[in-house]
């Protein structure tokens, strides 16, 4: 999986390992992933200091000391492998499968197995322009049941489609929408026009609790943050009945028809 939890974990690693360090090397397997020629990127990047690493939606954003930003988006369907090499010779290790590598004086961060990616070298203003089209972060402090309701209002769609629309909320992919609907006890097919205030409370609790749990997963030492993703036919973690799937806007939605309903039936927060 390469979803918000995995991306946030990588961001943390990058931030802890390389902030304050200078870029020594950049390896990109395909020039078409870049918004400028590789040679130009190297000229711009090598020697620049990394000020901090931010995540916005599913992008990892590297802030450089000349005011530019390096914005990385990785598409992954298969086995994405990221490795952090903390040897100071790390950036010399280029395998044939390596698709991306950032080398610093204290090691390197390497990516292999991605289906596709984009790496943009842009100004702060260009980044702001791009982010305008993206909804608020699901884990931000401003997120609330009222804000969710406000974002959903005047739209007509299924819950899953609304949750996974980046213009409404940032970074919730199709599988994440299923996870959140499951924890809220709401069917992914439910119409957002029909949601009541209790449903919004449950949805917000599911969203924030699940994200919190998922972002802390390293500390908790568990990988079981995905309850429904890729688990069609397997027993529901709550009731033991087989999980089912349906198609919503040609996306597969996995759900439990015993635990998920048109409206919430249990108090928010007790669904875990
Ligand atoms: Zn169930």
């Amino acid at each position: 999986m390469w979803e918000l939890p995995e991306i946030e974990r990588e961001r943390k690693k990058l931030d802890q390992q390389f902030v304050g360090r200078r870029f020594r090397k950049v390896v990109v397997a395909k020039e078409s992933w870049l918004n400028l020629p590789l040679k130009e990127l190297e000229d711009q990047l090598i020697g620049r200091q990394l000020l901090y690493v931010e995540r916005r939606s599913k992008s990892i954003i590297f802030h450089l000391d000349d005011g530019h930003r390096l914005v990385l988006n990785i598409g992954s369907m298969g086995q994405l492998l990221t490795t952090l090499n903390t040897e100071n010779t790390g950036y010399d290790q280029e395998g044939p499968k390596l698709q991306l590598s950032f080398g610093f004086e204290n090691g390197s961060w390497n990516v292999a197995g991605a289906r596709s990616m984009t790496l943009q070298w842009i100004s702060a203003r260009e980044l702001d322009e791009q982010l305008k089209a993206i909804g608020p972060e699901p884990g931000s402090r401003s997120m609330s049941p009222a804000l969710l309701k406000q974002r959903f209002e005047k739209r007509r769609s299924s819950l899953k489609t609304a949750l996974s629309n980046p213009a409404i909320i940032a970074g919730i992919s199709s599988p994440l929408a299923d996870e959140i609907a499951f924890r809220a006890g709401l069917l992914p097919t439910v119409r957002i026009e029909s949601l009541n205030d209790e449903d919004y409370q449950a949805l917000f609790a599911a969203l924030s609790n699940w994200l919190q749990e998922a972002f802390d997963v390293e500390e908790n030492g568990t990988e079981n943050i995905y309850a429904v993703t890729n688990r069609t036919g397997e027993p529901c973690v709550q009731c033991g009945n087989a999980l089912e799937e349906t198609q919503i806007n040609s996306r597969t939605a996995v759900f439990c028809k015993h635990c998920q309903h048109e409206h919430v039936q249990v108090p928010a927060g007790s669904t875990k």
Side-chain angles (χ1 to χ4, degrees), residues 183-184 202 264-271:
R183 281 162 182 83
V264 291
Q265 312 224 321
V266 286
S270 67
T271 53

Side-chain angles (χ1 to χ4, degrees), residues 97-114:
K97 289 181 200 158
L98 214 61
Q99 294 170 309
L100 174 72
S101 176
F102 290 137
F104 299 84
E105 65 259 52
N106 65 331
S108 65
W109 183 69
N110 311 299
V111 176

Side-chain angles (χ1 to χ4, degrees), residues 193-236:
E193 304 94 284
S194 76
L195 296 178
N196 61 33
D197 285 350
E198 279 179 347
D199 298 332
Y200 277 111
Q201 291 281 354
L203 210 48
F204 169 71
L207 185 68
S208 46
N209 293 344
W210 185 77
L211 270 183
Q212 192 59 55
E213 193 187 322
F215 285 175
D216 287 345
V217 82
E218 217 172 27
E219 290 89 316
N220 296 346
T222 168
E223 291 291 329
N224 298 327
I225 51 174
Y226 298 101
V228 290
T229 303
N230 297 327
R231 293 197 64 234
T232 304
E234 292 180 30
C236 167

